[in-house]
Amino acid sequence: MKKVGLALGGGSVRGITHIGIIKALRENEVYLPNIVAGTSAGSIIGALYAAQVPQDEMEALAEDFDWFHHVFNFGDTLKNFIEKKRGGLISNEKLGRVINEIIGGIQFSDLDIDLAITASDIESGRRVIFTSPKTAEKIDTSIIREYLPEKVQGKPGCDTIIITDCEDIGTAVRASCAVPGIFQPVEVKGMRLLDGGLLDQVPVDIVRAIGAKFAIGVSLMIPQKIKKIKNTGMVLSQIAGLMSLQQVRKSLDLADIGFQAEGVGERSLVDPKQSDLIDVGYKDMKHWICLYEQRKSLLNLFSKRA
């Protein structure tokens, strides 16, 4: 499998789970991705993986994660308020700076792994894909249009544009993680961008379009059981999961291994102290690889007998 694609879905702090997913894949070279696409929290972990940040460093970041230290500060928010930048409560500018610092300021074009990060243009309703010029040349746009059809004959649709000259990876990650109503939109090339999950929660179609012959898709958003709503955070989590249910199912069906991480749908979206999710992701990925190998062995057995 020389073209393995990994699509990492959004899920706020639940994105820590993706670190465990990558740990399991790093232990098995057959499934080691050389194409990765990420949405929201998935864009953070996808960027770190594509920049070849070591596993122990990624796990240490999860252990130390803190909203004020890694994502936002009040200085950025106050500056944007004075400049009359509206559309959200707080700025996530610090997230961009932290990402760029962790990966050493490298650009999309410096990566040996194909990386794509998604965002949503709130004013035009377009999906935005950030990537390198080299990766953009590989993209089969017919696959993208099949997943998110363009507007035609009075029917609603979604255009997709590809940005190959983003100033830095941190800016793309900020845009992908700008949760509506909470974070202020990120301005890029005259667009006001918000969370990529608004249009594509788990971007399996993108890794397929880049050329993945084998695709893995991981969702973190879908609630796996009905629960009593106790606070506003739980309401937002439940609504986000239910609204993306059909879209996530469609994405995961495009993958060779596509799944909702076990039990993650009940986890908090905001509690930063959930580094145990690394082990959850690790065990889940191992489990799904094992199931795939078993199915493959059975199919080979039946084909030989036939």
Side-chain angles (χ1 to χ4, degrees):
M1 298 178 186
K2 293 187 177 180
K3 288 291 183 181
V4 178
L6 175 64
L8 299 176
S12 190
V13 176
R14 296 173 187 170
I16 291 171
T17 309
H18 290 321
I19 298 176
I21 298 293
I22 287 171
K23 181 179 180 180
L25 296 174
R26 278 174 159 165
E27 291 180 357
N28 192 329
E29 289 188 4
V30 173
Y31 299 96
L32 192 64
N34 43 29
I35 300 170
V36 61
T39 291
S40 198
S43 75
I44 297 175
I45 309 304
L48 299 185
Y49 171 75
Q52 301 185 54
V53 173
Q55 186 67 30
D56 59 351
E57 187 174 337
M58 291 172 69
E59 293 182 20
L61 287 166
E63 290 280 355
D64 296 337
F65 176 74
D66 178 80
W67 286 105
F68 292 99
H69 183 67
H70 293 100
V71 180
F72 60 84
N73 63 37
F74 291 115
D76 292 328
T77 301
L78 179 60
K79 177 175 69 72
N80 285 352
F81 181 80
I82 293 172
E83 295 174 357
K84 297 184 178 180
K85 295 181 180 180
R86 301 288 190 266
L89 298 175
I90 53 181
S91 168
N92 67 355
E93 286 184 47
K94 187 166 187 177
L95 174 62
R97 295 195 294 269
V98 168
I99 292 296
N100 288 331
E101 181 180 345
I102 293 170
I103 64 177
I106 63 175
Q107 307 294 310
F108 279 98
S109 297
D110 299 322
L111 301 172
D112 293 326
I113 293 170
D114 289 314
L115 172 66
I117 291 174
T118 71
S120 304
D121 181 351
I122 59 171
E123 293 180 341
S124 69
R126 296 178 297 184
R127 176 170 65 169
V128 177
I129 300 174
F130 293 100
T131 192
S132 69
K134 178 182 68 176
T135 299
E137 290 178 359
K138 302 176 185 178
I139 293 177
D140 182 346
T141 55
S142 67
I143 294 176
I144 290 174
R145 287 194 297 269
E146 184 176 353
Y147 180 81
L148 281 179
E150 298 174 345
K151 301 172 186 177
V152 61
Q153 296 179 348
K155 296 179 181 179
C158 175
D159 296 329
T160 297
I161 65 169
I162 300 170
I163 303 294
T164 61
D165 58 348
C166 182
E167 60 184 75
D168 55 63
I169 292 174
T171 296
V173 169
R174 281 185 58 215
S176 188
C177 293
V179 178
I182 298 176
F183 292 114
Q184 294 163 349
V186 177
E187 297 182 4
V188 178
K189 295 186 176 297
M191 300 179 292
R192 287 162 54 80
L193 304 181
L194 287 175
D195 198 301
L198 294 172
L199 292 169
D200 194 355
Q201 185 62 235
V202 186
V204 178
D205 64 307
I206 294 179
V207 298
R208 288 289 194 197
I210 294 171
K213 302 303 180 185
F214 187 91
I216 301 166
V218 186
S219 166
L220 306 177
M221 283 300 293
I222 305 303
Q224 290 158 309
K225 61 182 179 181
I226 303 298
K227 55 187 177 181
K228 188 175 180 179
I229 301 298
K230 298 179 181 179
N231 54 53
T232 303
M234 291 178 67
V235 171
L236 294 174
S237 175
Q238 198 81 350
I239 289 173
L242 293 175
M243 288 181 66
S244 60
L245 187 61
Q246 293 288 346
Q247 182 194 69
V248 170
R249 176 59 185 268
K250 183 179 178 181
S251 289
L252 297 183
D253 283 345
L254 289 175
D256 297 282
I257 298 178
F259 60 96
Q260 163 76 22
E262 184 66 29
V264 173
E266 280 72 63
R267 291 299 195 98
S268 170
L269 288 167
V270 296
D271 181 4
K273 301 308 177 185
Q274 300 186 79
S275 59
D276 65 300
L277 286 172
I278 295 173
D279 192 50
V280 171
Y282 177 79
K283 291 178 178 177
D284 231 16
M285 192 70 253
K286 286 282 193 181
H287 168 73
W288 285 99
I289 288 174
C290 183
L291 284 182
Y292 177 79
E293 293 285 356
Q294 289 174 355
R295 289 197 302 268
K296 188 170 67 171
S297 296
L298 285 173
L299 288 172
N300 288 338
L301 179 63
F302 289 137
S303 64
K304 288 178 180 178
R305 288 183 176 180

